[in-house]
Amino acid sequence: MAKKNFRLNGFSVTDHEFVIQNVFTYLEDQTKKKHQFEVVIVDPPAFVKSKGNLNNAVNAYINLNEKALRVLKPGGVLVSS
C-alpha cells in the first residue's frame, strides 16, 4: 500500500526503503548497526486495551519512542502518533 501511495504522489519507490518487520526488532537492529535517519515516523497500534493494561501500554509507548530517538539523526524529526 505504501508503494502504491508513493507512486500516486509522484515519488520513486526505488529511492526509498520499505520494511515489514517488528518495529522493536527493526529499531534495535538499526541502533546496533549505527544507522540513523533524518525522519522517523512511528504509528503504533493501540496498546491500551483496558484500564488494567494502562501501565504496560504507557511503558510500551515510552519504549518505542526511546528506540525511535536512538536512530534519529541530531536535528532530525520524530513523528509519533
Side-chain angles (χ1 to χ4, degrees):
M1 202 59 159
K3 287 182 181 181
K4 180 180 178 182
N5 280 314
F6 262 58
R7 286 186 192 102
L8 288 171
N9 287 287
F11 294 106
S12 168
V13 296
T14 58
D15 294 338
H16 298 86
E17 181 180 6
F18 297 85
V19 178
I20 300 172
Q21 186 178 351
N22 177 292
V23 67
F24 293 100
T25 303
Y26 179 78
L27 291 173
E28 287 173 12
D29 290 346
Q30 298 309 303
T31 299
K32 288 177 187 173
K33 294 176 183 175
K34 300 194 184 308
H35 287 179
Q36 290 193 310
F37 304 92
E38 293 177 12
V39 177
V40 177
I41 302 169
V42 292
D43 185 13
F47 291 131
V48 181
K49 304 294 182 190
S50 67
K51 282 187 178 184
N53 190 21
L54 183 60
N55 285 337
N56 289 339
V58 168
N59 288 331
Y61 289 123
I62 290 169
N63 186 17
L64 176 59
N65 284 286
E66 284 177 347
K67 289 181 184 309
L69 285 169
R70 287 190 191 109
V71 299
L72 189 65
K73 286 183 178 181
V77 175
L78 172 63
V79 178
S80 181
S81 56

